[in-house]
Amino acid sequence: SQKIEQNSEALNIQEGKTATLTCNYTNYSPAYLQWYRQDPGRGPVFLLLIRENEKEKRKERLKVTFDTTLKQSLFHITASQPADSATYLCALVRGANNLFFGTGTRLTVIP
Amino acid sequence: GAGVSQSPSNKVTEKGKDVELRCDPISGHTALYWYRQRLGQGLEFLIYFQGNSAPDKSGLPSDRFSAERTGESVSTLTIQRTQQEDSAVYLCASSSRRQGRTDTQYFGPGTRLTVL
């Protein structure tokens, strides 16, 4: 079965630095991969989508890469801010329209 | 509506009781999903509705779980004879097929279920 691993449960980083989160998957390669942000007590919020034929996607301070050879996606937040503190989830498409979510990485940006 | 809404926001019940959780998707969204998120864990897919097609129930953990959806509107997730292991946040999401297979899912705030 498909398995998704996100690099660590928690990541602490100093304000202004670049945060890098990792998502590794096994078995089949998804057609696309999504990253979501989840704040405590709230549902996930979509951030970025990257397709298998795209190497990189950017949105403001966010950058996502997708390496289908390594079966890995990297999620970067540049010039990180305390407001970026949240749990970040990666998700792969599964079946007709279902997303298979990783367990998430809790990011804390320290002022 | 402005977004996906879920009710109740919190539900505390005794072991063995039945519970119903409600989801109101974004108007016009044909797809609706239910997920379960245990404390500190990722989202676990439960069930998927798409228009009038037969739902994908492959994620339901046992026959105590069922869900219904009326047309392309409200959905209800029912858990019968609740167990303590059912304690979790139940999240609902909807998406629009108009975006094709890159459908973004819009999540509600979830219902926190506690089984005593």
Side-chain angles (χ1 to χ4, degrees):
Chain A
S1 62
Q2 183 66 281
K3 184 178 178 182
I4 300 176
E5 291 183 348
Q6 295 195 237
N7 57 325
S8 60
E9 287 189 5
L11 178 66
N12 296 328
I13 192 167
Q14 206 69 35
E15 181 177 4
K17 300 292 186 182
T18 296
T20 299
L21 285 65
T22 305
C23 177
N24 294 294
Y25 58 92
T26 60
N27 297 336
Y28 70 86
S29 289
Y32 59 91
L33 184 149
Q34 300 184 358
W35 282 88
Y36 286 77
R37 168 182 173 142
Q38 186 173 25
D39 290 284
R42 294 181 173 270
V45 175
F46 170 78
L47 296 175
L48 278 171
L49 175 151
I50 187 165
R51 294 179 174 79
E52 61 180 340
N53 60 350
E54 297 177 320
K55 297 296 184 186
E56 182 179 298
K57 183 72 73 74
R58 290 175 184 263
K59 179 182 178 182
E60 299 174 351
R61 293 184 297 109
L62 308 180
K63 184 179 83 171
V64 173
T65 63
F66 194 5
D67 188 326
T68 55
T69 301
L70 293 177
K71 295 191 174 181
Q72 179 181 82
S73 174
L74 298 179
F75 178 79
H76 306 273
I77 306 175
T78 58
S80 59
Q81 304 167 1
D84 296 327
S85 298
T87 296
Y88 292 86
L89 304 165
C90 69
L92 312 181
V93 67
R94 179 186 77 178
N97 197 23
N98 300 331
L99 297 185
F100 188 64
F101 283 85
T103 56
T105 296
R106 188 173 65 253
L107 174 67
T108 301
V109 180
I110 303 166
Chain B
V4 178
S5 61
Q6 292 185 245
S7 61
S9 56
N10 282 284
K11 176 71 176 179
V12 180
T13 190
E14 293 180 347
K15 178 181 175 181
K17 300 285 188 182
D18 298 350
V19 295
E20 282 190 355
L21 312 180
R22 176 187 168 108
C23 172
D24 284 88
I26 293 172
S27 178
H29 279 192
T30 58
L32 186 145
Y33 313 76
W34 282 99
Y35 294 89
R36 177 170 69 180
Q37 187 173 31
R38 291 196 168 108
L39 185 64
Q41 298 189 21
L43 277 69
E44 177 187 2
F45 166 75
L46 297 177
I47 189 168
Y48 159 61
F49 295 90
Q50 173 58 52
N52 294 320
S53 302
D56 176 357
K57 304 179 181 180
S58 60
L60 295 178
S62 77
D63 59 7
R64 296 187 296 104
F65 288 72
S66 63
E68 293 184 349
R69 187 182 186 194
T70 306
E72 294 184 353
S73 60
V74 172
S75 175
T76 303
L77 177 68
T78 302
I79 308 174
Q80 297 178 309
R81 305 181 301 281
T82 52
Q83 305 293 314
Q84 289 182 332
E85 69 217 38
D86 300 334
S87 296
V89 174
Y90 289 83
L91 289 159
C92 173
S94 69
S95 70
S96 167
R97 275 300 216 177
R98 287 192 293 272
Q99 297 176 3
R101 295 198 71 243
T102 60
D103 300 359
T104 297
Q105 297 191 13
Y106 297 85
F107 284 84
T111 294
R112 181 175 299 278
L113 175 66
T114 303
V115 182
L116 301 176

